[in-house]
Amino acid sequence: MATHSFTFGSTFILLLLSLLLQFYSGKSELQLNYYSESCPRAEEIIKEEVTKLYHEHGNTAVSWIRNLFHDCSVKSCDASLLLETANGVVSEKGSSRSFGMRNFKYVNTIKKALENECPNTVSCADIVALSARDGAAMLGGPYMTMKTGRKDSKESYLDDVESSIPNHNDTMSFVLSTFQSIGIDTEGTVALLGAHSVGRVHCINIVHRLYPTVDPTLDPEYAEYLKGRCPSPYPNPNAVEYARNDRETPMVLDNMYYKNIMSQKGLLVVDQELVSDPNTYPFVEKMAADNGYFHDQFSRALITLSENNPLIGDQGEIRKDCRFVNKS
C-alpha cells in the first residue's frame, strides 16, 4: 500500500515539475487573453484598425480572411506570408497561389498602432489571426473567440506553398485530404469554402470554364453573365477584370454561396466540386438551408486553422515590421 502511494506521489510530483518547466520556459500553448497584462488593449486596437480600414477600403475585410487561410495552411500560423523578398528570404507572395492577394500594406497600419501602444509585444501572426476574426464579423459573419500568443517566423516557405494550398481546379478529394492534414474535417472544409461568399475572382481563373465552350455544369444564364464580365479568353492578369463570387450579397459572409452553387452558379471548379462530390454535398445542403449552422461550422473550422502548428515561446520572434525579419 505504501509502495502504491509512493508511486502515485512521485508521478504527481514529476507531472507538476514538467508543467512548471513548460510554463517557465515560455512555451505554453496559445491562450485566451494572452496580452491581458503585456498589452491590455491589443485586441481592441486591432478591432479598431480593422473597422477603420473596412470603412475606408471595404475589401480589406476579405483580404484578412484570405491572409489567414494562406498563412496558416503553409507550415504554421506564423506570418511567414507577410515577409518580403530581402536578406535571403524569398517571399511566399511570389507563388501563383498568391495571385490577386492585396492590401498587405494595411497590415503594417495595424502593426504601427500596436507598436505605438506596446512596442515589441504583439506578433504579426496574431495580427493575421485577429484581423481575420474581426474582418469576418465586419462582413456579417460570426464573431469568434480566438487564442493568441503566436510568434513570427524567421523564414518563408515558398517551396511549400503550392503543395499546402489547394488550387481552384483541384479535385475535391485532394482539397479534403489537404485540410484533413491540418485537422479540418469534411464539414469544416465545406464551411471554409463558404468564404467564397465574399470578394471576387479574376477572370484568369474563370475563362477556362467559358472558352472555347461553356462548362456544362454552369447555369447557361450565369455563364452569359460571366462572359460579360470576362469577354476575352485571354484576360490581362494585371487588369481589373473580375466577377463577384456572390452577386446577391457580395460583401456579406452568408450562406448565399451554397444556394448559388446548388443552382450551378459557382465561379470556380472547386465550387462545383462541392456539389458534385457525395462526401460534401450533404453539408452544402445543410448550409444552404441554415445560415446559423454555416456560421457555427465556419467559426469552428477557422479557429482550428488559426491554431495550426503555431510558433510559441522562443520558437519565433515578435517582428518590428511585419515585412521583414528582425535584424539580429
Side-chain angles (χ1 to χ4, degrees):
M1 190 74 175
T3 304
H4 285 298
S5 76
F6 174 77
T7 304
F8 173 77
S10 301
T11 303
F12 177 76
I13 290 169
L14 286 170
L15 179 63
L16 186 62
L17 283 171
S18 68
L19 288 171
L20 285 170
L21 282 170
Q22 183 185 45
F23 178 79
Y24 284 111
S25 69
K27 289 191 177 182
S28 55
E29 297 297 318
L30 298 180
Q31 54 191 267
L32 295 174
N33 304 310
Y34 177 83
Y35 298 106
S36 59
E37 293 184 11
S38 61
C39 190
R41 290 192 65 246
E43 295 195 29
E44 187 181 343
I45 289 169
I46 292 172
K47 185 176 181 180
E48 287 171 357
E49 293 299 316
V50 165
T51 302
K52 193 187 307 179
L53 286 164
Y54 172 77
H55 290 302
E56 293 173 2
H57 315 280
N59 57 34
T60 53
V62 181
S63 295
W64 306 146
I65 298 173
R66 192 175 178 192
N67 283 356
L68 177 68
F69 172 67
H70 280 252
D71 187 52
C72 294
S73 294
V74 182
K75 291 273 191 184
S76 165
C77 289
D78 57 9
S80 61
L81 169 71
L82 303 179
L83 289 171
E84 297 284 358
T85 297
N87 304 316
V89 171
V90 182
S91 179
E92 293 172 22
K93 298 174 191 175
S95 167
S96 61
R97 294 290 195 274
S98 300
F99 176 75
M101 296 187 74
R102 51 193 174 149
N103 294 319
F104 289 116
K105 63 184 178 183
Y106 297 123
V107 175
N108 256 21
T109 301
I110 301 172
K111 178 64 169 171
K112 185 178 179 182
L114 288 163
E115 289 295 306
N116 288 339
E117 178 93 6
C118 315
N120 307 312
T121 304
V122 181
S123 69
C124 300
D126 278 339
I127 293 174
V128 169
L130 294 175
S131 62
R133 175 190 72 177
D134 296 335
M138 292 303 300
L139 293 166
Y143 182 79
M144 294 156 259
T145 301
M146 275 189 178
K147 295 179 180 179
T148 41
R150 301 164 188 79
K151 294 297 190 294
D152 300 325
S153 71
K154 299 178 185 179
E155 57 186 322
S156 66
Y157 311 106
L158 177 63
D159 291 343
D160 297 292
V161 172
E162 297 213 3
S163 61
S164 301
I165 299 176
N167 201 8
H168 59 88
N169 55 6
D170 280 329
T171 64
M172 186 50 58
S173 60
F174 178 77
V175 173
L176 292 174
S177 66
T178 302
F179 279 105
Q180 184 66 50
S181 70
I182 55 176
I184 298 173
D185 58 17
T186 300
E187 189 175 28
T189 299
V190 175
L192 278 183
L193 285 170
H196 287 178
S197 171
V198 291
R200 62 192 191 181
V201 173
H202 196 283
C203 289
I204 204 167
N205 291 327
I206 303 171
V207 290
H208 66 288
R209 301 190 72 196
L210 303 174
Y211 306 102
T213 56
V214 173
D215 183 335
T217 63
L218 273 174
D219 173 81
E221 287 186 16
Y222 185 63
E224 286 305 310
Y225 156 74
L226 292 180
K227 281 187 170 183
R229 299 295 305 174
C230 306
S232 167
Y234 307 106
N236 179 353
N238 298 314
V240 183
E241 299 177 8
Y242 65 87
R244 290 283 180 190
N245 284 331
D246 173 4
R247 294 164 67 194
E248 304 292 325
T249 53
M251 291 298 286
V252 181
L253 186 61
D254 60 11
N255 66 339
M256 186 61 70
Y257 165 74
Y258 302 100
K259 296 175 183 178
N260 286 336
I261 62 176
M262 287 178 68
S263 301
Q264 296 183 295
K265 295 177 182 177
L267 276 182
L268 303 171
V269 170
V270 72
D271 300 327
Q272 182 56 41
E273 286 269 325
L274 279 181
V275 177
S276 57
D277 191 295
N279 295 303
T280 54
Y281 183 68
F283 297 119
V284 171
E285 273 193 313
K286 285 182 72 175
M287 290 179 196
D290 188 341
N291 194 54
Y293 166 68
F294 159 55
H295 279 177
D296 289 345
Q297 297 308 314
F298 182 83
S299 298
R300 180 178 67 87
L302 200 73
I303 288 169
T304 299
L305 182 59
S306 76
E307 296 177 5
N308 179 37
N309 194 30
L311 302 181
I312 50 180
D314 58 3
Q315 295 173 338
E317 64 180 11
I318 305 292
R319 285 185 215 140
K320 186 76 176 173
D321 184 322
C322 292
R323 299 171 298 173
F324 307 107
V325 174
N326 291 340
K327 295 177 181 176
S328 51

